[in-house]
Amino acid sequence: MTLLAQADDGPSCYGRLTNEWVCWDYVVDYRPEIVEATTQHIAITIASVLFGLALSFPLALLARRLPRLESTVLGVSTGLYTVPSLALFPLLVPFTGLSATTVVIGLGLYALTVLVRAILEGLRAVPDDVRESARGLGYGDGRLLLRVELPLAVPVVMAGLRVATVSTVALTTVGSLVAYGGLGNLIAEGVQSNFRAQLLTAAVLCVVLAVLLDVVIVLAQRVLTPWTRTAG
């Protein structure tokens, strides 16, 4: 095969002499790597948000039950967000190693800033007369929380969840520090090698993931709060 034939058969928009930003050949040639990175990105994002929810729910309940601790809980959850990932991840590595767990724990702690406040404000938004009516019907604290307060708090909580999820999609890329950054790994490699097509493709996919997950949460909210829909 001649050199000219090899040039014709090879990629037309990336290579030793070409380095374009938009390159479909890159997407086709590196499809397995892109799919693997995207799958890892989604998995880490979802796991981090769920971990954040699992931590924020009892913290919000604690802050509501003991008002004197509210400022402490909110202060700590907000303070965690100010810790740079360059410092937080190395602090976790001795306990969790260079693994996805390190990223999930770190991002879950970052999500507390939004989720604790969202849950707390959602519960506060429940009208007092609704609570009194439920207690008049014999609802105890646990049943009141699960059957009345939480369903009515869903819109506010979901608003916070949307913010936390979108921000986590972006922050997941920082996981490349420990080799578990999903699309962030491709972005880091693209920056180091000045591979424009890889850098742009990974960045665009991050935006697409954020939008798709946001839409999923909105649809979930509509399912969980049928009373908020207006008749056609």
Side-chain angles (χ1 to χ4, degrees):
M1 181 179 294
T2 65
L3 292 176
L4 180 59
Q6 291 177 357
D8 291 339
D9 292 339
S12 61
C13 51
Y14 76 90
R16 295 178 61 185
L17 302 178
T18 308
N19 189 20
E20 298 181 7
W21 286 101
V22 180
C23 181
W24 184 251
D25 287 338
Y26 163 76
V27 176
V28 174
D29 295 342
Y30 287 81
R31 180 179 177 182
E33 290 85 352
I34 295 174
V35 171
E36 180 182 1
T38 303
T39 302
Q40 183 185 89
H41 202 107
I42 295 173
I44 290 176
T45 298
I46 293 176
S48 300
V49 173
L50 292 178
F51 177 65
L53 275 175
L55 290 179
S56 60
F57 186 68
L59 287 175
L61 292 181
L62 177 64
R64 189 182 69 152
R65 181 61 62 90
L66 301 174
R68 65 179 181 276
L69 294 180
E70 179 180 338
S71 59
T72 301
V73 172
L74 295 178
V76 171
S77 62
T78 302
L80 287 172
Y81 198 81
T82 65
V83 179
S85 55
L86 288 173
L88 180 59
F89 287 173
L91 289 175
L92 295 174
V93 167
F95 305 98
T96 56
L98 296 175
S99 64
T101 303
T102 300
V103 182
V104 170
I105 293 176
L107 298 184
L109 293 177
Y110 285 147
L112 293 180
T113 302
V114 176
L115 294 177
V116 172
R117 290 180 180 275
I119 295 174
L120 190 57
E121 292 302 321
L123 294 175
R124 282 176 173 168
V126 179
D128 290 334
D129 56 341
V130 173
R131 290 193 180 93
E132 293 302 322
S133 298
R135 292 191 183 280
L137 293 174
Y139 280 56
D141 290 340
R143 192 181 177 194
L144 175 64
L145 174 66
L146 297 176
R147 300 292 298 275
V148 178
E149 293 180 317
L150 281 181
L152 293 178
V154 165
V156 178
V157 174
M158 283 297 195
L161 183 61
R162 292 173 64 186
V163 175
T165 301
V166 171
S167 64
T168 301
V169 170
L171 289 171
T172 297
T173 58
V174 185
S176 59
L177 291 171
V178 292
Y180 284 92
L183 294 167
N185 294 336
L186 298 183
I187 292 175
E189 293 171 3
V191 171
Q192 293 172 1
S193 61
N194 192 29
F195 195 169
R196 294 177 178 176
Q198 178 168 302
L199 178 58
L200 181 62
T201 300
V204 170
L205 285 175
C206 283
V207 176
V208 172
L209 281 182
V211 173
L212 289 178
L213 289 176
D214 187 62
V215 171
V216 169
I217 294 174
V218 171
L219 294 177
Q221 178 180 340
R222 289 178 60 84
V223 172
L224 294 173
T225 58
W227 60 86
T228 62
R229 302 178 219 163
T230 58

